[in-house]
Amino acid sequence: MTELLLVLCLPLIGAFTLGLRGDRPWAAEANASFSLLTLLAALALTARVMSLGPQVVLAELFFVDAFNVFLVALTAFVGFTTSLFSRVYMRVEQDRGRVTVRRLRLYHAMYQMFMFTMFLALLTNNVGILWVALEAATLATVLLVSLYRTPESIEAAWKYFILCGVGIAQALFGTILLYVAAERVLGAGGSALLWTHLYEVKDQLEPTVLGIAFVFLLVGYGTKVGLAPLHNWLPDAHAEGPTPISAVLSGLLLNVALYAVVRNKVLVDAAVGNHLPGYLMMGFGLLSVLVAAFFLYRQKDVKRLFAYSSIEHMGIATFAFGMGGPVAAFGGLLHMTAHSLTKSAIFFAVGHAVQKTGTQVMSDIRGLIHHSPAVGWGLMIGGIAILGIPPFGVFASEFIILTTAMRDHPWAAPVLLLGLGVAFAAIFTRLQAMVFGDTTAKRLPRPPALLPVFVHLLLVLVLGLYIPPYLAAWYRQAAAMIG
Amino acid sequence: MSTPLVGQIINLLAAVLLLIVFAMLAQRRLLRLIHLFALQGAVLTLNTLVVAVTLHQSHLYFSVILNLVLKVIVLPWILIRLVDRLDLRRDAESVGNLPLIMLVAVVLVILSFNVALPISELAGTMTRGTLGIAMASVLISFLMMITRRKAVAQVIGFLSMENGLFFAATSATYGMPMVVELGIALDVLVATFIFGIFFFQIRETFDSLDIRNLENLKDRE
């Protein structure tokens, strides 16, 4: 199946090409071109899966179904728009002498490598390879977090490396336990770790072992999702790295880690039959929403603010998948999409705002709207969208999740509402001051890349107003599978 | 070889592994720590070899070679070269309240055996009794990462944790499928290289490899 191979190979070829030639002036354009080609391949793959249904290819190495093909398309899309933003952003950073040409080569090569690990994690049929790909994603991004070589960025990268490394080691232990249980049913050898085989026998797997395995898997991959209390690496890594990396960490990595949790949850749910995985995920989700909401209040740094907001939203999505059932899963999927698009758009706007004002401290960013109305409006609209104000997509998904929570788990609804309310107050007041008020912004030598911001926000608006029937069908299909 | 004898050998090697991980927890000198890490890799390889030969698990030969090359030769060699280039050969650090740390480690061992009990009853392998030890090695390595203040020692804790996980895979299932094992080995190797790059970045920026320099990022008031 050529499309699938292209989706995997293009970023890999891109990584090696840019690793060798990434110091040339056209490296940023090459990065964007590789991302565009990957996006086209991903769209072709999506079209194929939508017409032919789920597929297992290449001696069962890879598989695509409604759930992962939707994330592949989203990942490729955000990867492409971020590469457009990064083209302008990194040029400005280079002009200012914050990065050298050699570090830009590393940056571009690792950007493509990160995209490769994301696609590998999504498309692989092997539970073990999923682990390998997620660990490789940390390895690809860790040197990017420390790209500026400031003391803060090195500290952030070290923390990211150690915490995610330790976290994901727990997930490996969980995977080993899963293999122990699967081996008894499927026999030793490769097939006992393949999703497609595991799903066929999911109700025959040993419940005790799978229950213990799920705790390790949830803690392990949950560290990467940024669930409280394992979220410590996330704000630092987002705040100290280059902004395009913050955008892909928030928009893509967290989603893919959550994908790993949800895939395992479906398996364990069927095996244990007592809804324990669901309650664990709901607990972690609610805790993340609350912790993030109250930390939001204390933030002074604009990128840390939106990093905590990512923790909050991943908490909401985890809660939704934890509730289970097709409606909640539909809401969770929609929330993943809307959050990914909105948050990356916000990081694009924040990136330009920080370059214009020369600071990440919120009290020093003032009056964006006077000097650069487009950046100001981009940030304002993005902020409104992420706070869940209608008519944007985040509102639609939060509405679905909240109403389902009220029906099925009424005790959880007030907690969610409290978290959302506190987050709203914390972000909105900051946003207003940054966008309006007296200006501190300066003109930049290069025009900002605002197309990605508004394209993303337009898509989120469309998701809120009207979900096209084929997209809704696709979500429903995926939701039925994981609900 | 008779089965009880094989069982005895495997249990003996597992016990040696547990002792090594305790020794690592208490070892203050960096160079000795690396030697212990290499020894841990060697015992692990020997254990895998015994399982492969006596229980006719031919796919484990591949793991034996991978382990021998990666954990006994390549990783310790990289670490020793790093220590040389960073001029840390004589480096030692205080480990803190050692008796307390040892007590915590003992509690971790008891805990691991309890958690591992239901799993090892189900596992169909002859080596299943050692799963508790594997889990204890993982947790004690984790404890070592928490108690150390020097970056290199933390990384050795990280690698020793990976060794514990590998041991868990051999004792509970006779090893993971080959493609997964290769992937994990590749990740560990790349991670060690990146850790090496980091040591230089940290030293260049802070003039020392003390992690206490890396505790400034908080939510600033």
Side-chain angles (χ1 to χ4, degrees):
Chain A
M1 194 164 170
T2 29
E3 294 92 339
L4 191 146
L5 281 181
L6 278 175
V7 169
L8 284 168
C9 289
L10 279 168
L12 204 57
I13 297 170
F16 283 109
T17 316
L18 288 162
L20 291 171
R21 291 276 177 272
D23 45 358
R24 304 295 163 92
W26 41 260
E29 281 74 19
N31 189 31
S33 316
F34 275 113
S35 305
L36 176 63
L37 290 175
T38 314
L39 173 62
L40 293 177
L43 291 179
L45 177 69
T46 312
R48 171 77 74 95
V49 173
M50 278 170 75
S51 60
L52 296 176
Q55 316 238 330
V56 184
V57 288
L58 277 180
E60 305 191 304
L61 267 178
F62 301 105
F63 85 125
V64 262
D65 60 15
F67 184 24
N68 63 8
V69 81
F70 127 82
L71 280 169
V72 167
L74 181 67
T75 303
F77 178 72
V78 176
F80 169 58
T81 49
T82 309
S83 72
L84 289 182
F85 162 69
S86 129
R87 194 176 76 86
V88 179
Y89 182 88
M90 293 315 280
R91 287 247 156 86
V92 176
E93 298 292 280
Q94 196 186 354
D95 288 350
R96 293 184 164 176
R98 289 192 77 187
V99 282
T100 57
V101 176
R102 279 192 57 197
R103 284 192 207 156
L104 272 181
R105 182 172 74 183
L106 174 81
Y107 168 84
H108 285 124
M110 285 302 139
Y111 185 90
Q112 290 294 328
M113 196 48 114
F114 171 70
M115 294 310 293
F116 167 72
T117 60
M118 291 287 94
F119 291 122
L120 181 63
L122 289 171
L123 289 171
T124 181
N125 193 11
N126 191 314
V127 186
I129 297 295
L130 169 67
W131 183 89
V132 172
L134 273 174
E135 169 75 7
T138 315
L139 298 177
T141 42
V142 70
L143 287 177
L144 298 184
V145 171
S146 72
L147 194 73
Y148 294 143
R149 301 286 165 85
T150 56
E152 292 83 10
S153 68
I154 290 179
E155 180 185 338
W158 180 260
K159 218 164 162 183
Y160 173 45
F161 204 178
I162 291 284
L163 282 175
C164 280
V166 171
I168 210 146
Q170 314 300 314
L172 180 59
F173 193 68
T175 309
I176 292 171
L177 295 184
L178 181 65
Y179 184 60
V180 173
E183 205 189 17
R184 284 166 62 86
V185 183
L186 291 168
S191 72
L193 272 182
L194 298 184
W195 288 121
T196 40
H197 290 232
L198 284 168
Y199 278 138
E200 278 164 19
V201 296
K202 58 185 176 186
D203 43 358
Q204 300 166 32
L205 299 173
E206 170 56 41
T208 339
V209 178
L210 251 70
I212 300 174
F214 186 74
V215 174
F216 282 98
L217 287 163
L218 180 61
V219 168
Y221 292 132
T223 313
K224 288 219 105 149
V225 182
L227 296 178
L230 313 157
H231 65 277
N232 272 357
W233 62 274
L234 194 146
D236 297 338
H238 279 63
E240 303 304 332
T243 308
I245 297 306
S246 321
V248 287
L249 284 182
S250 244
L252 305 181
L253 179 70
L254 308 188
N255 270 356
V256 175
L258 186 57
Y259 162 84
V261 174
V262 174
R263 276 266 186 237
N264 282 303
K265 186 232 173 198
V266 176
L267 203 61
V268 178
D269 239 357
V272 298
N274 63 1
H275 213 263
L276 170 83
Y279 280 113
L280 275 173
M281 282 174 76
M282 283 162 71
F284 270 106
L286 281 183
L287 185 67
S288 307
V289 173
L290 278 185
V291 167
F294 287 97
F295 271 105
L296 274 169
Y297 248 109
R298 301 174 46 195
Q299 299 313 311
K300 304 271 184 248
D301 180 310
V302 61
K303 281 168 81 180
R304 289 185 81 90
L305 181 84
F306 286 112
Y308 273 105
S309 152
S310 289
I311 297 174
E312 183 210 346
H313 286 282
M314 291 327 279
I316 296 174
T318 309
F319 173 78
F321 290 121
M323 280 195 295
V327 184
F330 184 99
L333 289 171
L334 185 62
H335 198 73
M336 272 166 103
T337 320
H339 170 256
S340 174
L341 291 170
T342 319
K343 192 50 67 63
S344 39
I346 289 178
F347 273 117
F348 301 159
V350 163
H352 285 308
V354 167
Q355 284 188 331
K356 277 173 184 300
T357 52
T359 175
Q360 286 181 205
V361 180
M362 279 186 279
S363 51
D364 295 337
I365 303 176
R366 283 278 171 274
L368 287 173
I369 206 117
H370 299 297
H371 232 298
S372 38
V375 174
W377 279 117
L379 186 57
M380 194 68 199
I381 298 174
I384 287 176
I386 204 73
L387 289 172
I389 295 174
F392 291 96
V394 181
F395 167 75
S397 56
E398 281 177 358
F399 185 76
I400 296 174
I401 295 169
L402 256 177
T403 44
T404 321
M406 281 175 191
R407 199 193 61 212
D408 296 342
H409 304 278
W411 53 270
V415 185
L416 263 184
L417 276 173
L418 175 71
L420 287 175
V422 174
F424 183 91
I427 294 183
F428 195 73
T429 45
R430 263 64 172 277
L431 211 55
Q432 216 177 6
M434 279 192 287
V435 174
F436 304 106
D438 295 328
T439 183
T440 57
K442 287 185 287 291
R443 196 166 283 284
L444 283 176
R446 294 177 194 276
L450 288 164
L451 187 67
V453 180
F454 289 101
V455 170
H456 280 202
L457 292 176
L458 188 69
L459 284 175
V460 182
L461 183 65
V462 170
L463 280 179
L465 292 174
Y466 164 75
I467 302 179
Y470 62 89
L471 192 60
W474 182 11
Y475 275 141
R476 261 198 291 278
Q477 216 182 330
M481 208 158 52
I482 58 181
Chain B
M1 233 187 289
S2 64
T3 339
L5 182 65
V6 175
Q8 296 282 348
I9 295 176
I10 292 170
N11 282 343
L12 177 71
L13 289 174
V16 172
L17 271 181
L18 190 62
L19 275 178
I20 293 177
V21 97
F22 266 95
M24 287 172 88
L25 189 63
Q27 182 54 256
R28 292 166 51 231
R29 293 198 171 275
L30 204 50
L31 211 56
R32 296 249 176 87
L33 198 58
I34 298 174
H35 292 158
L36 278 173
F37 171 70
L39 187 65
Q40 188 188 33
V43 174
L44 206 57
T45 311
L46 191 61
N47 176 65
T48 320
L49 187 65
V50 169
V51 175
V53 172
T54 55
L55 301 173
H56 311 293
Q57 299 289 324
S58 53
H59 71 278
L60 275 182
Y61 287 120
F62 174 75
S63 302
V64 171
I65 296 167
L66 194 67
N67 250 301
L68 187 71
V69 173
L70 189 70
K71 284 165 189 164
V72 187
I73 302 169
V74 177
L75 291 184
W77 181 75
I78 295 176
L79 286 170
I80 290 182
R81 281 214 51 178
L82 277 171
V83 164
D84 271 346
R85 290 194 41 194
L86 291 162
D87 204 15
L88 296 174
R89 246 175 197 280
R90 310 199 160 275
D91 210 52
E93 62 172 322
S94 60
V95 181
N97 187 349
L98 202 55
L100 180 71
I101 293 175
M102 285 294 170
L103 268 179
V104 174
V106 169
V107 173
L108 286 179
V109 174
I110 297 168
L111 186 84
S112 315
F113 270 91
N114 272 313
V115 175
L117 202 62
I119 305 167
S120 44
E121 270 172 11
L122 278 159
T125 58
M126 237 200 75
T127 44
R128 61 195 185 184
T130 54
L131 188 63
I133 291 186
M135 204 167 160
S137 308
V138 172
L139 290 179
I140 294 174
S141 309
F142 186 37
L143 181 67
M144 177 177 153
M145 290 180 76
I146 297 172
T147 52
R148 295 305 173 111
R149 286 278 157 263
K150 292 277 165 71
V152 184
Q154 276 199 342
V155 169
I156 295 172
F158 179 81
L159 293 172
S160 145
M161 184 185 232
E162 211 280 324
N163 273 350
L165 286 169
F166 178 85
F167 187 49
T170 350
S171 48
T173 68
Y174 296 144
M176 303 282 270
M178 192 186 292
V179 54
V180 179
E181 232 162 63
L182 257 183
I184 295 171
L186 183 70
D187 273 351
V188 170
L189 188 65
V190 175
T192 313
F193 273 114
I194 295 181
F195 274 125
I197 297 173
F198 256 101
F199 294 153
F200 288 101
Q201 286 188 7
I202 293 173
R203 242 260 297 255
E204 212 171 282
T205 319
F206 298 101
D207 284 330
S208 103
L209 277 171
D210 199 318
I211 302 295
R212 266 168 295 195
N213 290 316
L214 298 179
E215 286 168 2
N216 299 319
L217 273 184
K218 299 248 161 64
D219 294 308
R220 280 154 260 178
E221 295 296 318

